[in-house]
Amino acid sequence: MIVEYIRYQVADPAAFVDGYRTASRSLDASSHCLGYELCQCDEDDKTFIVRIEWDSADGHMKGFRSSPEFREFFAAIEPWLGDIAEMRHYRTTEVTRRKA
């Protein structure tokens, strides 16, 4: 599994959340996407982090990005591409825990 983190600084938080709500349908439809979340900063409501879990880096970069779902995803988030402050992929480690 690979985790993609995207940090945004946006002008219109409500419109951004709506855009990602639309984009999430494409993530739901992708066999490569294992999960995702959109988090809004408590101290600055114009700052967001998107966390997307992918089956692999290739699954994201080659599988998803060459799919019809990506074209729909891209169309939904395109207005905020210039608002990306950082976008990176991370490998998970054995140091992890999730409480139910």
Side-chain angles (χ1 to χ4, degrees), residues 4-24:
E4 179 183 22
Y5 288 94
I6 312 164
R7 185 167 46 93
Y8 289 88
Q9 183 70 32
V10 302
D12 185 348
F16 180 73
V17 170
D18 285 344
Y20 254 92
R21 187 175 291 113
T22 299
S24 72

Side-chain angles (χ1 to χ4, degrees), residues 3-43:
V3 181
E4 179 183 22
Y5 288 94
I6 312 164
R7 185 167 46 93
Y8 289 88
Q9 183 70 32
V10 302
D12 185 348
F16 180 73
V17 170
D18 285 344
Y20 254 92
R21 187 175 291 113
T22 299
S24 72
R25 292 192 293 261
S26 299
L27 296 174
D28 290 338
S30 174
S31 62
H32 299 287
C33 180
L34 305 177
Y36 57 87
E37 63 186 0
L38 173 63
C39 298
Q40 186 173 21
C41 181
D42 228 18
E43 294 80 18

Side-chain angles (χ1 to χ4, degrees), residues 20-80:
Y20 254 92
R21 187 175 291 113
T22 299
S24 72
R25 292 192 293 261
S26 299
L27 296 174
D28 290 338
S30 174
S31 62
H32 299 287
C33 180
L34 305 177
Y36 57 87
E37 63 186 0
L38 173 63
C39 298
Q40 186 173 21
C41 181
D42 228 18
E43 294 80 18
D44 177 3
D45 70 347
K46 293 182 178 184
T47 300
F48 290 83
I49 299 283
V50 177
R51 180 181 188 278
I52 307 174
E53 296 176 0
W54 298 103
D55 58 356
S56 66
D58 278 350
H60 173 219
M61 300 302 290
K62 294 178 182 172
F64 180 67
R65 288 200 174 179
S66 66
S67 72
E69 291 84 14
F70 176 73
R71 289 186 286 284
E72 294 169 9
F73 176 84
F74 188 83
I77 64 155
E78 187 173 19
W80 297 280

